[in-house]
Amino acid sequence: MTNSVDRRVRASQKRRRLTAAAARVLHEQGVERTTLADIAREADVPVGNVYYYFKTKDELVQAALAEHSAHLDELTAELDRSADPRDRLKGLVSAWMDQRETAARHGCPTGTLAVELDKRADGTLDAEAGAVIRRLLDWTAAQFRTWGVPDPDDHALTLVSAYQGMSLLANALRDPDVMTREGNRLLRWLDSL
Amino acid sequence: MTNSVDRRVRASQKRRRLTAAAARVLHEQGVERTTLADIAREADVPVGNVYYYFKTKDELVQAALAEHSAHLDELTAELDRSADPRDRLKGLVSAWMDQRETAARHGCPTGTLAVELDKRADGTLDAEAGAVIRRLLDWTAAQFRTWGVPDPDDHALTLVSAYQGMSLLANALRDPDVMTREGNRLLRWLDSL
Amino acid sequence: MTNSVDRRVRASQKRRRLTAAAARVLHEQGVERTTLADIAREADVPVGNVYYYFKTKDELVQAALAEHSAHLDELTAELDRSADPRDRLKGLVSAWMDQRETAARHGCPTGTLAVELDKRADGTLDAEAGAVIRRLLDWTAAQFRTWGVPDPDDHALTLVSAYQGMSLLANALRDPDVMTREGNRLLRWLDSL
Amino acid sequence: MTNSVDRRVRASQKRRRLTAAAARVLHEQGVERTTLADIAREADVPVGNVYYYFKTKDELVQAALAEHSAHLDELTAELDRSADPRDRLKGLVSAWMDQRETAARHGCPTGTLAVELDKRADGTLDAEAGAVIRRLLDWTAAQFRTWGVPDPDDHALTLVSAYQGMSLLANALRDPDVMTREGNRLLRWLDSL
DNA sequence: CATGAATGAGGGTTCATTCAT
DNA sequence: TATGAATGAACCCTCATTCAT
């Protein structure tokens, strides 16, 4: 009884460990340069055992994407507690600025994943990273719409685009200040609307 | 006489063919998913012969980066023929918009290369892609400075950042319209300064 | 139960098979002319599987050296059962003479390995073969010392040097008699001390 | 006229340069780790040109062996100017001792070549290195015979064997003193006969 | 479920040798 | 004869995936 429950709990813990490890390592090293052994080691799971939780490497990539998507959900849920849509958006920008060190080192997890997955010939996962980005776009557009700003979709595109751009530049130039400078500009821009 | 010249010409043509093929294929497939055989086939050169011109795969990546850098030089040289710095910058944005189909399919060549190279543990080529981006930043800042706009470096950061962001989004969403929408906004922004 | 033990046993047997095959084939063909496939075939192990036990070719070379070192240990342990140091040394010479056919065909395993490894630019394994030879030198010197012969180190050097020299000549001339002639001289020399 | 002579002279100079380079580099790096490009570079001859003087790599190895054989001839010719055979042999040993640094770094040129060539399956060059050693043996035996020492062949075997052994040990232990210690012993031995 | 071991299909790289001029 | 360029066969090594227990 308890044994079987324990086992199930332990098992799902392992799954969670693997997912978290995948999200982390894939972000840091990229998909192609990360081996299953890397992820297994990071999750402290024997290599052969990985396949009981994820049938292929791609499923691990998918799980990592889902993890990033969940992080996004947490963030927007947190931001949704503000009454003012402008404050929500400013909170979003602040969250990006808080991640400046990570961004400078490895870029935006979803953005860099999207770049890498788009290079694939087989269109198996290309869309999935795009979907996460689209969800961010949608949430952002919803804020602008509630706020009453005209062309909310365009404004959302501008904001998310700016985020991806500044993350990429911070990463390419290895300079977290890029995040600060552009972040502050975005805050002023939101105030000016 | 002419023979030996021909031979030398043909040889350097081969090198150029390889460089061009590398730039193209690496942009389309990414560094890790591109085989030397891929590049060799695209350049119509036997695999073993590639090593006569490039001693390692990394040298081919470097050559591809240099090719992109040269394209940037051509573009800015062309734009420098305009008298007005604002026109130069608007020309830059227009050039980006002209590339919308390519951007939607494969992203910005230099930007995506930077993303992939930054995932590497060995810091051999990470900086090189960043350097090309920095040259674009510098040229852009120079235009703002000539123009007399305050904080030219920040403006340059905003513009290049926007370009990388919109390219990434166009690519991730597989939607060239992203380039058009953001591009037009940038044109209006430049007009408003 | 027994199954898992069997598995482990079979696995380590495989490792041992690979080590033995490496020792044999590397002795016969030399390091540079021996392919991993050669060793794998000799050990009846798929090539790809070799890397589960030895991460590089050099590790296989090291394992082969360790094998030869172990053989030396066995031999000296056996000889140590004689009470008289002179008998021990004469036993050593007799053992060399017993190997005359092998010596004529492939030389001394450790000696030829040392020659080949010393040709390497990267000083990764050069010392290792020398270390095995030094252990033979040390054991030999200890016998002379116990025996009470003056300058035991010099005598050891002379004896081991003679062994390497006669092995090389037997091999180069493809003549096992070299081992016999020189071996008998060494026996007489030991008796004369 | 003179042109064709010049050309021939220059050509044979090239051949000599290649032979000398081969002897040197093959001694230092071994046959298998030496590329034709290495030898060509050392001789300052374009790679493609090597094949007008040596049809295969093996022919270069053969040329290197011939070079070592010629050096041996020079040495014995020099020694033959001594009236006393014992002095000739002591001169030989002294010559070995003079080479102690080279021996410690790369071993005896002919001996190490013999070791490597004996590892080959195709019996194309195995005998050649042995032949050079045999010539040394023969000259040495002749000295002992002239001198009137009994069993001159055995004595020659002992002496040459000692040389190969001490060279191998000096090389394996990277210690030129080995040459000095054993060399002095051999001098005393010759004096005692 | 767990796990060490097995497998095989490439990928990058080297190099002796040959070719075209 | 001279020479840069060309060629292709091999080699070492990696790794996603599967198997046996």
Side-chain angles (χ1 to χ4, degrees):
Chain A
M1 285 295 129
T2 26
N3 281 344
S4 86
V5 168
D6 279 1
R7 213 186 321 137
R8 215 170 303 157
V9 166
R10 232 179 308 127
S12 74
Q13 270 179 349
K14 256 188 189 173
R15 196 179 210 286
R16 230 173 291 146
R17 279 217 309 277
L18 279 167
T19 304
R24 204 177 332 132
V25 182
L26 290 175
H27 180 209
E28 291 172 9
Q29 310 186 350
V31 176
E32 303 296 338
R33 294 188 83 90
T34 297
T35 70
L36 284 186
D38 286 339
I39 298 175
R41 195 184 322 117
E42 187 82 3
D44 202 36
V45 168
V47 206
N49 200 2
V50 174
Y51 281 83
Y52 277 87
Y53 301 96
F54 301 95
K55 258 180 276 296
T56 66
K57 185 184 181 182
D58 274 9
E59 282 191 15
L60 266 168
V61 176
Q62 223 163 351
L65 262 172
E67 184 91 342
H68 295 312
S69 186
H71 284 163
L72 176 61
D73 285 343
E74 283 173 36
L75 178 59
T76 53
E78 171 81 20
L79 295 171
D80 281 336
R81 293 163 60 186
S82 290
D84 183 12
R86 188 204 306 251
D87 285 343
R88 294 190 200 134
L89 291 171
K90 289 176 72 176
L92 180 64
V93 172
S94 296
W96 292 340
M97 291 171 75
D98 289 344
Q99 297 297 315
R100 62 182 172 281
E101 291 296 341
T102 305
R105 238 170 321 174
H106 308 296
C108 164
T110 309
T112 57
L113 217 39
V115 166
E116 224 180 336
L117 295 178
D118 269 310
K119 299 301 184 194
R120 292 177 156 203
D122 65 345
T124 33
L125 286 174
D126 333 16
E128 311 240 347
V132 178
I133 292 178
R134 181 170 296 284
R135 292 189 51 245
L136 175 58
L137 270 174
D138 290 343
W139 181 88
T140 305
Q143 308 315 311
F144 279 120
R145 195 170 295 113
T146 307
W147 180 358
V149 169
D151 303 320
D153 288 331
D154 286 342
H155 279 84
L157 183 63
T158 297
L159 191 60
V160 174
S161 201
Y163 167 53
Q164 290 299 341
M166 71 202 220
S167 298
L168 194 152
L169 281 192
N171 185 215
L173 304 176
R174 302 200 170 287
D175 179 9
D177 281 349
V178 167
M179 297 296 285
T180 313
R181 287 161 65 197
E182 271 291 287
N184 282 326
R185 183 188 64 82
L186 291 173
L187 290 178
R188 287 193 305 270
W189 173 62
L190 288 170
D191 276 327
S192 76
L193 289 178
Chain B
M1 294 289 139
T2 30
N3 285 345
S4 85
V5 169
D6 280 1
R7 187 158 30 100
R8 215 171 303 161
V9 165
R10 226 175 313 123
S12 75
Q13 271 180 348
K14 230 176 189 178
R15 199 179 206 287
R16 231 173 288 148
R17 276 216 313 277
L18 279 167
T19 304
R24 205 178 328 135
V25 182
L26 289 174
H27 180 208
E28 290 172 9
Q29 310 186 349
V31 175
E32 303 296 336
R33 294 189 81 89
T34 296
T35 302
L36 283 181
D38 288 339
I39 297 175
R41 195 184 321 117
E42 188 81 3
D44 200 37
V45 167
V47 205
N49 197 10
V50 173
Y51 282 84
Y52 187 81
Y53 297 96
F54 299 95
K55 260 179 278 299
T56 66
K57 187 183 180 181
D58 272 10
E59 280 191 17
L60 268 168
V61 177
Q62 220 163 351
L65 261 171
E67 185 90 344
H68 295 312
S69 186
H71 285 163
L72 176 61
D73 284 342
E74 284 174 34
L75 177 59
T76 53
E78 170 82 21
L79 294 171
D80 279 336
R81 293 164 60 187
S82 290
D84 184 14
R86 186 204 306 255
D87 285 343
R88 295 191 201 131
L89 292 171
K90 289 176 73 175
L92 179 64
V93 173
S94 295
W96 292 341
M97 293 171 74
D98 289 344
Q99 297 296 317
R100 62 182 170 282
E101 291 296 342
T102 305
R105 240 171 317 176
H106 308 297
C108 163
T110 309
T112 58
L113 217 39
V115 166
E116 221 180 339
L117 295 179
D118 270 310
K119 298 302 184 193
R120 294 178 154 199
D122 65 346
T124 33
L125 287 175
D126 330 18
E128 311 241 344
V132 179
I133 293 179
R134 181 171 294 286
R135 293 189 51 244
L136 175 58
L137 270 174
D138 289 343
W139 182 87
T140 306
Q143 308 316 309
F144 279 120
R145 194 169 296 115
T146 306
W147 181 357
V149 168
D151 303 320
D153 287 330
D154 286 340
H155 280 85
L157 183 63
T158 297
L159 191 60
V160 174
S161 203
Y163 166 53
Q164 289 298 341
M166 72 201 221
S167 297
L168 194 153
L169 281 192
N171 184 218
L173 304 176
R174 302 204 169 289
D175 179 9
D177 281 350
V178 166
M179 299 295 285
T180 314
R181 287 161 64 199
E182 272 291 288
N184 282 326
R185 183 187 66 81
L186 291 173
L187 290 177
R188 287 194 305 272
W189 173 61
L190 289 171
D191 276 327
S192 76
L193 289 178
Chain C
M1 295 286 140
T2 30
N3 284 343
S4 85
V5 168
D6 280 2
R7 185 155 35 97
R8 216 169 303 159
V9 166
R10 225 175 313 125
S12 74
Q13 271 181 348
K14 227 172 187 179
R15 198 178 206 290
R16 232 172 290 148
R17 276 218 311 279
L18 278 166
T19 304
R24 204 177 330 132
V25 181
L26 290 175
H27 180 208
E28 291 172 10
Q29 308 186 350
V31 176
E32 303 296 337
R33 293 189 81 89
T34 297
T35 302
L36 284 182
D38 288 339
I39 298 175
R41 196 184 320 116
E42 188 81 2
D44 201 36
V45 167
V47 205
N49 197 11
V50 173
Y51 283 85
Y52 187 81
Y53 297 96
F54 300 95
K55 259 177 279 297
T56 64
K57 186 183 181 181
D58 273 10
E59 280 190 17
L60 268 169
V61 176
Q62 221 163 348
L65 261 171
E67 184 91 345
H68 296 312
S69 186
H71 284 164
L72 176 62
D73 284 342
E74 283 174 36
L75 177 59
T76 53
E78 171 81 20
L79 296 171
D80 280 336
R81 294 163 60 187
S82 291
D84 184 11
R86 187 204 307 255
D87 286 342
R88 294 192 201 131
L89 291 170
K90 290 176 73 176
L92 180 64
V93 173
S94 296
W96 293 340
M97 293 170 74
D98 290 344
Q99 297 297 316
R100 63 184 170 282
E101 292 295 342
T102 305
R105 238 170 319 173
H106 308 297
C108 163
T110 307
T112 57
L113 217 38
V115 167
E116 222 179 340
L117 294 178
D118 270 309
K119 298 301 184 194
R120 292 180 156 200
D122 67 346
T124 33
L125 287 174
D126 332 16
E128 312 241 344
V132 178
I133 293 179
R134 181 170 296 285
R135 293 188 50 244
L136 175 58
L137 270 173
D138 289 343
W139 181 88
T140 305
Q143 308 316 309
F144 280 118
R145 193 169 298 116
T146 306
W147 179 357
V149 168
D151 303 320
D153 288 329
D154 286 339
H155 280 85
L157 183 63
T158 297
L159 190 59
V160 173
S161 202
Y163 166 53
Q164 290 298 342
M166 72 201 221
S167 297
L168 194 151
L169 282 192
N171 184 217
L173 305 175
R174 303 203 168 289
D175 179 7
D177 281 351
V178 167
M179 298 295 286
T180 312
R181 288 160 64 199
E182 270 291 288
N184 282 327
R185 182 187 66 83
L186 291 172
L187 290 177
R188 287 194 304 272
W189 173 62
L190 288 171
D191 275 327
S192 76
L193 290 179
Chain D
M1 284 299 124
T2 26
N3 280 344
S4 85
V5 168
D6 278 2
R7 213 185 323 137
R8 217 171 301 158
V9 166
R10 230 179 308 126
S12 75
Q13 271 180 348
K14 256 187 190 175
R15 197 180 207 288
R16 229 174 290 148
R17 278 214 312 276
L18 280 166
T19 304
R24 203 178 331 133
V25 182
L26 290 174
H27 180 209
E28 291 172 8
Q29 311 187 348
V31 176
E32 303 296 336
R33 293 187 84 89
T34 297
T35 68
L36 283 185
D38 286 339
I39 298 175
R41 194 183 324 115
E42 188 82 4
D44 201 37
V45 168
V47 206
N49 200 3
V50 174
Y51 281 83
Y52 277 85
Y53 301 95
F54 301 95
K55 257 180 274 299
T56 67
K57 187 183 180 181
D58 273 9
E59 282 190 16
L60 266 168
V61 177
Q62 221 162 349
L65 263 171
E67 184 91 344
H68 295 311
S69 187
H71 284 164
L72 176 62
D73 285 343
E74 285 174 33
L75 176 60
T76 53
E78 171 82 19
L79 295 170
D80 280 336
R81 293 162 62 187
S82 290
D84 184 11
R86 186 205 304 255
D87 286 343
R88 294 191 200 133
L89 291 171
K90 289 176 73 176
L92 179 64
V93 173
S94 295
W96 293 340
M97 292 171 75
D98 288 345
Q99 296 297 316
R100 61 183 171 283
E101 292 295 342
T102 304
R105 239 169 320 175
H106 309 296
C108 163
T110 309
T112 57
L113 216 39
V115 167
E116 225 180 335
L117 294 177
D118 270 309
K119 297 302 183 193
R120 294 179 155 200
D122 63 347
T124 33
L125 288 174
D126 332 18
E128 312 240 347
V132 177
I133 292 179
R134 180 169 296 287
R135 293 189 49 246
L136 175 58
L137 270 174
D138 289 345
W139 181 87
T140 306
Q143 310 315 310
F144 279 118
R145 194 169 297 113
T146 306
W147 180 359
V149 168
D151 304 318
D153 286 331
D154 285 341
H155 280 84
L157 182 63
T158 296
L159 191 60
V160 174
S161 201
Y163 167 53
Q164 289 299 340
M166 71 201 222
S167 297
L168 194 151
L169 280 192
N171 185 215
L173 304 176
R174 301 200 168 291
D175 179 9
D177 281 350
V178 166
M179 299 295 286
T180 313
R181 289 161 63 198
E182 271 291 286
N184 282 326
R185 184 189 64 83
L186 290 172
L187 290 178
R188 288 193 305 270
W189 173 63
L190 289 171
D191 276 327
S192 76
L193 288 179

